[in-house]
Amino acid sequence: MCQFCVEHGEGKKWYLQAKNYSLELVNEERKRFMADFFENVERMVSDRLGGLDKLMAADPSGAKGVFPQLVEQQKKEHWGQVVPLEEIEQILDNSVAVVRVPCVCRSTLRGIRDARYCFGVTSGLKDPRASVFRQYPDYSTDLEVLNKEEAKKAIQKLDRNGLVHTVWTFLTPFIGGICNCTVNECLALKTRTRLGFPTFFKAEYVATIDWETCSGCRDCMKVCNFGAISYSAYVDKCSINQLQCYGCGVCRSECMRDAITLRDRNAVPALKNEW
Amino acid sequence: MIQITWDSNRCTSPRQCRKCLDACPQGVFMTYPRDGRKPGELTENWCVAPLFLSLCTGCQICEEICPENAIALSAG
């Protein structure tokens, strides 16, 4: 299990542990952190990710030396994990109400305010975070309240479009939101895949293709955000590189022959420490 | 190291235009609030700046696509 499951799961996967969504965790410190986050997200991104990028360009091996302390800071403040669709649905099932909000990453990278890919799992309309969030019209003007079924349907659609589902902490272990990511529009995915700096855990799963069923159509390859799938012309089948796979499951959703399954990452010896 | 400069006098509405943000094949650019974000207000003044400068290949697509010639590349 990932580090957070061990530290914050209390026997469950940490993102399925109800305590990590509890309003009891939304204390003054967290409210201030969240206000700060939404007010200054671009500056934080520019300072941290931009700073890291400059460092890597100037001194790649020196930069790798500072990764551990930067990772520790990110893990404490704002860390994520890839979660497959059925577990996102479980999280939604356990919520009272869901809000859909503009994604800060799309705002930063694409300059658009109305990309509503993020979902906040709330305790209801009187959730104290609402007052923090509403201070920032850039992100709260398009706030919509959805019931669980509407939220599930919306995320199912994003899943069929190949978006990677992720959960995010605001001062770990409190999970403030679910997002739906792509490698070019998500700061976390982009930073990890392009700069090699981790900002989240891979899923507790890894995908594999059953060659008895696979027809070699390659539709799965088209949706993989991580380049984990390759095609063997010789056998006319696709294979998933387990070391590259993040376990998001969008390939599984795409495969029309149901040839792809998600296996427990922890059951694969070389992958149980591959996060 | 490639340097990218963005001229705020020439680029007055980056979030309406967004051409460089979308055209860059490497996704180098970001936008940020010029005067910071104020609680209770919609942010109106934005800047464009390189975020992932290390990914810039110097292809100059941003220079070519900018309708206001606000972007300039130079080899560092």
Side-chain angles (χ1 to χ4, degrees), chain A:
Chain A
M1 300 196 122
C2 75
Q3 175 192 349
F4 286 10
C5 291
V6 173
E7 290 174 3
H8 308 295
E10 302 194 23
K12 298 184 177 184
K13 293 192 181 88
W14 72 287
Y15 53 79
L16 294 178
Q17 171 53 259
K19 292 183 185 181
N20 296 324
Y21 298 88
S22 165
L23 278 192
E24 286 173 8
L25 292 175
V26 186
N27 53 17
E28 287 313 307
E29 191 196 2
R30 265 198 188 83
K31 280 198 240 172
R32 234 175 307 123
F33 177 83
M34 288 191 273
D36 214 48
F37 183 93
F38 287 105
E39 192 160 318
N40 299 308
V41 61
E42 292 88 356
R43 189 154 51 80
M44 278 177 2
V45 165
S46 173
D47 287 350
R48 289 198 201 173
L49 300 184
L52 185 66
D53 181 82
K54 283 198 183 74
L55 195 58
M56 290 190 65
D59 175 16
S61 49
K64 294 253 156 67
V66 308
F67 271 21
Q69 77 209 45
L70 290 177
V71 165
E72 275 324 292
Q73 187 186 19
Q74 283 296 126
K75 278 184 175 171
K76 285 200 180 90
E77 295 184 354
H78 187 59
W79 193 263
Q81 184 160 23
V82 174
V83 175
L85 181 64
E86 60 272 34
E87 291 184 331
I88 293 283
E89 290 175 340
Q90 274 183 62
I91 295 170
L92 295 173
D93 274 333
N94 294 331
S95 70
V96 174
V98 183
V99 293
R100 175 163 52 186
V101 301
C103 171
V104 306
C105 292
R106 270 82 170 193
S107 172
T108 306
L109 293 175
R110 290 269 167 249
I112 53 184
R113 274 192 56 237
D114 55 357
R116 289 173 299 122
Y117 292 95
C118 283
F119 293 74
V121 171
T122 78
S123 67
L125 295 176
K126 296 219 168 75
D127 191 308
R129 286 172 294 166
S131 60
V132 167
F133 195 62
R134 280 185 201 283
Q135 289 178 65
Y136 304 103
D138 282 332
Y139 297 114
S140 63
T141 307
D142 297 316
L143 187 150
E144 287 169 278
V145 179
L146 304 175
N147 64 40
K148 298 180 214 192
E149 285 315 307
E150 289 168 327
K152 281 197 231 175
K153 279 207 179 67
I155 297 184
Q156 284 160 4
K157 198 165 168 201
L158 295 173
D159 187 82
R160 286 195 302 275
N161 275 334
L163 282 89
V164 176
H165 320 296
T166 50
V167 293
W168 293 96
T169 66
F170 287 79
L171 292 187
T172 303
F174 176 68
I175 297 176
I178 294 169
C179 204
N180 296 280
C181 307
T182 56
V183 101
N184 288 325
E185 276 85 31
C186 168
L187 286 161
L189 262 63
K190 191 159 171 186
T191 303
R192 183 165 179 173
T193 58
R194 304 286 186 244
L195 299 188
F197 177 69
T199 46
F200 60 98
F201 294 127
K202 296 181 180 181
E204 299 285 329
Y205 303 92
V206 71
T208 124
I209 300 179
D210 173 17
W211 277 13
E212 304 258 298
T213 321
C214 175
S215 66
C217 74
R218 290 177 265 190
D219 281 354
C220 55
M221 278 182 77
K222 293 172 198 161
V223 295
C224 180
N225 275 260
F226 306 103
I229 308 185
S230 56
Y231 172 71
S232 293
Y234 180 69
V235 289
D236 190 25
K237 306 274 179 204
C238 282
S239 308
I240 298 176
N241 180 345
Q242 294 182 326
L243 293 164
Q244 200 53 36
C245 174
Y246 282 61
C248 67
V250 300
C251 53
R252 176 186 60 168
S253 304
E254 181 71 14
C255 179
M256 288 197 296
R257 298 177 61 104
D258 291 329
I260 304 182
T261 48
L262 289 181
R263 305 176 59 195
D264 181 6
R265 175 178 296 272
N266 301 286
V268 184
L271 301 183
K272 62 181 195 282
N273 294 315
E274 173 64 36
W275 297 104

